[in-house]
Structure formats: C-alpha cells, structure tokens
Amino acid sequence: MNASGRKVREPARAHIAERRMRVCHILATTEGAVWAFEQLRDLRDRFGYDVSVILNGRKGKLVDRFEAAGIRVLVADFEFLNSSDLLALPMKIWALAGILRHERFDIVQTHLFHSMVIGRLAAWLADVPVRLSMVAGPFHLEAYTPRWIDGSTQWMETALIPSCEFSRTLYKSMGVRDARLRVIYYGPDDAKFDPRHHTAAELRNEYGWSADTPLIGMVAYFYPELGVNRWTPPAVQGRSVKCQADLIKAMPAILEQVPGAKLVLVGSGWEEGGRAYLAKMEGLVQNLGLTESVKFLGFRADIPALLKSFDVAVQASASENLGGSIEGLLMECPMVATRCGGLVDSVIDGQTGVLVEPGDPADLARGILELLRKPEAARSLGRNGRQLMLEKFTLRRTVEDEHALYQSLARSARPGYRLHRSVWRAFLGALVCLYLAFRYWFVDLRLLPALDAGWRPWQFRRLRRAAARLKIGIARRLAPARTVGQIAVPIETAKSRSANEQFRSAEVAPVDPFAGMRVAARMRLYRLYAFIGRRKLGWGLRRRAKEVAKAIFRR
C-alpha cells in the first residue's frame, strides 16, 4: 500500500535472486543433445543454480548422462503430430503444467520444436515466473506449418532465445519485438577442441596416401531425404539437410584442378532413412568413378584429431544453425560453408573462411579450390576463426549469457504460480488449443493438400446438384410458365374439329434469372485462385493487413 492507500504492484522479484534459483530445461529427446547436459551442468557448477531437466523418456544415453551427474530427470509426453495426438494435446499440456506447479521452478527453458510448443503452453498455464524458448535453429521457422504454430504461441514466452542472427531475423519478420529476442549461441566446450592438445589423425597412412595429399573432410550424420510437405523448408524438400551429395558432385571439378585430392565423409546414417541415404551416396560415388578419391569413415570418436588432419573442412547444408563450423574453426581448420542459416555468423567470408551458395556443387568446388591453392592464406583464416570462436561461440560464453539473461528477467518478473491466473489461462488456453488443433487438422492436413492436388470448392458435386435444384425451384416460382402466341392447328375436316381442339398453346422453358450472377461468381472464383497461385503460402494478406493498420494509426 502507498500513502494514498492504493495497492502497489510488487516491483521486482528480488527474493528470487537472493536464494538459489531453480531452473528447469525441457527437451523432447533421450539421445544426443550433449549441449543441453553441458549447459545445465555448468549453470549448476559455475553459478549455483538448482537444475532439473524434463525429457520424453526414462531410457537413453542422455538420461544416463544427467543421472550420472546428479541432475534430476523428470518425464513428460511431447508428441502431437498425429491426428490422435491432437485430441490428447490438452491433457499432455495439463499434465506438464501440473509437474511445473508442483516443482515451483523459477525459470523454465525449452529446446527443440515439439517440447517447445507443449512446454511453452504448460509453463504459461502454470504461471512460471520466467519462461524461455531457446531455438535450436531456423529449420522450423523456414517451414510453413511449424512457423505458424510457433508464431501463434510465442507471445506466451517471457523472452525468446534464437541461436543465430538468421533465426532472430525470421522472428522479427513474424512481428516479435526486438526487446524480446536475445541471441545466444549453442557453443561447445572449447577445452575439447584445442589444437595444442591433439595430434592429427593418421588418415593418410591408413589409406596409403602420401603425406602431402590434399585432404577434404566433412563431419556430419547422414540424415534421411526429406519429403515434400509443409513441415519441411522448401530448400531441403526431397533432399538430405546436410547435402553430402553436393560435395560428392563437386569432386570431379576439384580433381580436374587438384588430381591428388581426397574426400573423407565422417558420420553414420541417422536411423533407417539415414542409412538408406548413406547407401545412396556410396552408389553415387561408384557411378561417378570416385571410389579411389572418396572414402566413408562411418562413426568416429576422434573428431578433434580428424579436424586437425583436414586441409579443408566443409559444411554443405541447405538449412542449418551453426552445424560443425564451430568445432572445425576451434581446431583452426580452414572452413568452406554454405551461405545459409547461422553458418554466416561463424564463417565470415574472407575472414574466417569461404562462403558458397547452397545447392550449387560448382560453387562449392570453387570455394574448396580457393583454399587448396592458397594453403598459407587458408591457415590464416583458420587461426582467425579460432579467435572468433573463443570470443563468442564457446560453452563458457553460452552459460554466461544465459546466467546474465536469467538474472535480468528474474529481477523484473512478477510473482508466479498464482491460482487465479492459472484459472483464466485454462479457459484461454483451451481456445488456443482448439485453434491449433482445428487449423492443423482441417487446414494443414486436409484443405491445403487438397488445393495442392488441384481440388477447388466448386468440385462439391452433391452440393452443386442440390444448389442447382434449389435455383431451378426458385426460378420457377419467380417466373411461371407463359404462353407465347397461339399457333393454329390444321384440321382436315370441319366435322372432326371441336372447339377445344382448334388451337394449342406452346410452352417455353422458364428463363433462369441467376444465369448472369452464376457466370460472374464463377469468374470471380477463377480470379481469386489465380491470385492465390501467383503468391507464396500466406498470400501476403497478413503483411497487407499490418500495412493498413499502420496507415490507420498514423492518421
């Protein structure tokens, strides 16, 4: 209460900063994601946070890592892609919200798209004081369906953490205020990638190549080729996201200029689809006659040593966050990367590496040859790259930036877990879930695929027939049958004609008063679909509405 007796809102949550803050990260996986483990471990060890994690299962290598480090693991369900999952979506959100209310975390931070959406709704419903989403990459923001799902719910977050400048740009294009965006990179532990502590792998000896053999390398999983759908960015539809095929296709042009060059591809196939793509790449190498110049190494644990042995490391992705560019540059390895996603943040053309156009094997060959022809300049780029990585792209910097963000938001956060807020948010959240389910089930799964297949609204045959019968009935009532003139009927004999048979009336079919309206409506529909067909998904209507609104408010 102030001097006038009016109630004053609690200004800042100083009591949060005074005690040990409880932080929970949420991610829908039990494998990989070593970065999540490293972030929580260092937040606890360096800054004293009480950390927990919510995963989507009890078994997996990631679970074992957390439990071995003494970090508590909770479990929730994050699936919602199938139609049956949509019906259970509110219950999954409610269950996760119950966990959050019971644990009373001060900060909840989500990673990965599936856990981000459900975790975001649950944290908002539970009224967690500080709610954050750390976006692992721009992939889902470049695709139609996950982009609108994220855009429809991002307002529930206290702040968003894009992990590259390109993701930040995409969020700003969706109308997110810059004040709610904080770029924090997913940085690796630089102690693991110090060229002073590693010796180069003996790849040349393993394959009997001479010591001066130019060696090109790429470290990446072989991911499945992606389908053509609205969950996939247009740039990678029908392709594998890492695009090893482009690098293989670039080798003939490289061998023309540097005949002794060798390419090694490090990485295994990711699940069954990835193994099929790996087999396809092995077939491509054979078809191009490159079996002596391209080698598949499979899974290797000695990545730092491999990177140190490469003359050029390559990241050829079509959609990417930072890929393996940070690790390669930390090892001072000259880097060639495609100009996409967050790769342009770490690989600065002409300063820390060479950038090429994605999906262009000829340009990829050009970039690799540029470094092979000038080894001294290439090594200089690698040294510059390590310096930049140490300044901005390490685990140490990631955790420090997260700590600074946590403290800043905690100081200005309102008290959380207020029952009255959770109650009215439950009603509003139900409407949000209904909107998400309806738009995804009806528009994304049914309407848009039908339009893509050539279906148009006037192809409702039964409805068309019913509408036609209705129009004919209305027309008959508005325009009853008329007699037009009288036509004489010839009679052979006067005796056989009667008064009633001397004349006959000719009936004419009624005129359809809606004929002109029907043609005009059909033309307007054709013009509408021609308009839609000339534009990208979304049709620019949102942008036009924003422009109109801005013009009105300026007045």
Side-chain angles (χ1 to χ4, degrees):
M1 298 291 235
N2 59 14
S4 61
R6 299 182 65 180
K7 192 173 183 179
V8 179
R9 180 190 300 169
E10 186 176 348
R13 299 210 58 201
H15 58 283
I16 288 183
E18 292 171 358
R19 62 178 174 81
R20 192 182 184 198
M21 275 197 287
R22 303 193 65 203
V23 175
C24 177
H25 284 202
I26 301 176
L27 57 158
T29 185
T30 57
E31 301 291 340
V34 178
W35 42 264
F37 165 73
E38 292 176 337
Q39 286 181 27
L40 282 174
R41 179 200 62 196
D42 283 18
L43 284 168
R44 180 193 65 184
D45 296 346
R46 292 186 58 193
F47 299 105
Y49 291 99
D50 179 6
V51 299
S52 301
V53 66
I54 300 179
L55 306 177
N56 65 338
R58 285 285 183 189
K59 296 181 180 180
K61 293 181 180 179
L62 184 60
V63 179
D64 297 339
R65 285 180 185 272
F66 281 116
E67 291 180 343
I71 297 174
R72 194 157 63 106
V73 177
L74 303 171
V75 177
D77 185 1
F78 300 105
E79 290 298 322
F80 66 92
L81 293 183
N82 297 324
S83 299
S84 57
D85 293 329
L86 293 177
L87 300 176
L89 181 61
M91 296 306 300
K92 294 177 181 180
I93 295 170
W94 186 265
L96 181 55
I99 294 174
L100 298 179
R101 287 193 63 85
H102 178 265
E103 296 294 335
R104 288 294 199 271
F105 296 114
D106 299 307
I107 298 171
V108 168
Q109 179 172 317
T110 60
H111 306 265
L112 307 179
F113 178 75
H114 297 80
S115 44
M116 180 185 73
V117 173
I118 292 182
R120 171 183 291 170
L121 286 158
W124 175 77
L125 176 61
D127 194 26
V128 176
V130 178
R131 305 174 298 277
L132 302 169
S133 287
M134 191 167 185
V135 183
F139 184 93
H140 82 272
L141 297 172
E142 297 178 283
Y144 174 77
T145 295
R147 177 183 170 91
W148 72 254
I149 293 175
D150 190 358
S152 299
T153 56
Q154 54 79 22
W155 54 271
M156 298 178 176
E157 301 285 12
T158 307
L160 299 169
I161 310 176
S163 53
C164 70
E165 288 294 339
F166 182 58
S167 295
R168 178 179 185 159
T169 301
L170 291 175
Y171 271 116
K172 291 177 69 174
S173 71
M174 295 163 59
V176 180
R177 292 181 293 106
D178 193 56
R180 295 182 59 232
L181 299 170
R182 311 286 179 89
V183 175
I184 299 178
Y185 296 102
Y186 282 94
D189 187 352
D190 59 285
K192 297 179 181 179
F193 296 92
D194 190 337
R196 298 171 299 177
H197 301 157
H198 296 278
T199 58
E202 298 294 333
L203 285 177
R204 293 172 178 84
N205 289 339
E206 289 180 27
Y207 289 98
W209 299 330
S210 63
D212 61 348
T213 298
L215 191 57
I216 306 161
M218 179 175 180
V219 181
Y221 280 110
F222 287 82
Y223 288 103
E225 292 179 294
L226 300 175
V228 179
N229 55 62
R230 287 179 171 78
W231 284 96
T232 305
V236 294
Q237 291 180 355
R239 309 175 67 191
S240 174
V241 67
K242 296 294 183 178
C243 298
Q244 285 93 340
D246 291 340
L247 181 53
I248 294 171
K249 292 175 182 178
M251 279 304 292
I254 294 171
L255 293 172
E256 288 182 4
Q257 303 294 322
V258 185
K262 305 296 180 181
L263 169 64
V264 293
L265 297 169
V266 184
S268 56
W270 184 267
E271 299 182 340
E272 184 178 352
R275 290 189 288 272
Y277 179 69
L278 173 57
K280 184 177 179 179
M281 293 302 98
E282 292 172 339
L284 177 62
V285 168
Q286 292 179 353
N287 293 337
L288 294 176
L290 300 173
T291 52
E292 295 300 319
S293 301
V294 179
K295 300 298 179 182
F296 295 85
L297 304 190
F299 172 79
R300 294 284 292 253
D302 56 339
I303 300 302
L306 289 171
L307 290 169
K308 191 169 183 179
S309 68
F310 295 162
D311 294 299
V312 177
V314 179
Q315 290 295 321
S317 303
S319 177
E320 189 61 88
N321 191 38
L322 292 162
S325 63
I326 300 177
E327 292 83 351
L329 291 172
L330 281 172
M331 292 300 298
E332 297 185 355
C333 184
M335 181 71 61
V336 174
T338 46
R339 190 178 279 104
C340 71
L343 290 174
V344 299
D345 294 6
S346 56
V347 182
I348 302 174
D349 198 22
Q351 298 182 34
T352 63
V354 175
L355 291 176
V356 298
E357 295 302 318
D360 188 346
D363 199 36
L364 186 57
R366 189 268 308 166
I368 294 171
L369 288 170
E370 182 178 332
L371 295 182
L372 291 178
R373 289 169 180 159
K374 301 175 181 178
E376 287 298 326
R379 283 190 285 271
S380 177
L381 293 177
R383 289 190 293 270
N384 294 341
R386 175 171 172 78
Q387 185 62 36
L388 178 63
M389 297 305 103
L390 291 174
E391 292 174 4
K392 298 176 60 177
F393 296 89
T394 62
L395 174 63
R396 172 180 48 79
R397 177 64 182 271
T398 298
V399 174
E400 289 173 355
D401 288 347
E402 285 181 321
H403 169 64
L405 179 61
Y406 292 172
Q407 295 298 315
S408 172
L409 295 177
R411 282 192 295 269
S412 59
R414 297 179 179 181
Y417 302 103
R418 293 159 292 184
L419 182 59
H420 68 281
R421 276 187 172 266
S422 293
V423 170
W424 75 259
R425 284 180 178 180
F427 290 101
L428 181 57
L431 296 177
V432 172
C433 288
L434 183 62
Y435 165 74
L436 294 175
F438 173 78
R439 180 169 176 179
Y440 179 63
W441 179 82
F442 178 72
V443 178
D444 286 36
L445 293 184
R446 285 162 176 76
L447 179 60
L448 293 178
L451 291 173
D452 290 342
W455 175 86
R456 293 296 180 266
W458 53 79
Q459 292 178 355
F460 281 118
R461 291 184 175 85
R462 293 181 180 177
L463 186 61
R464 288 172 58 198
R465 287 196 293 267
R469 288 195 294 268
L470 179 62
K471 288 191 292 185
I472 291 174
I474 294 174
R476 284 177 176 171
R477 286 183 174 275
L478 295 178
R482 300 191 302 266
T483 58
V484 181
Q486 290 186 335
I487 304 173
V489 178
I491 303 299
E492 292 183 359
T493 60
K495 293 181 180 180
S496 61
R497 74 186 174 193
S498 65
N500 295 329
E501 294 179 346
Q502 291 184 25
F503 300 97
R504 304 180 64 181
S505 297
E507 293 187 1
V508 179
V511 178
D512 184 1
F514 298 101
M517 295 172 60
R518 184 170 64 250
V519 173
R522 179 67 60 86
M523 292 302 297
R524 288 189 177 88
L525 280 173
Y526 279 125
R527 289 174 182 172
L528 172 62
Y529 282 98
F531 167 79
I532 294 171
R534 291 195 298 268
R535 282 155 177 80
K536 298 179 180 179
L537 293 173
W539 313 332
L541 299 180
R542 184 182 298 178
R543 175 181 56 79
R544 294 186 180 190
K546 288 181 179 179
E547 291 175 355
V548 171
K550 288 180 180 179
I552 292 173
F553 285 114
R554 285 196 189 105
R555 295 175 184 174

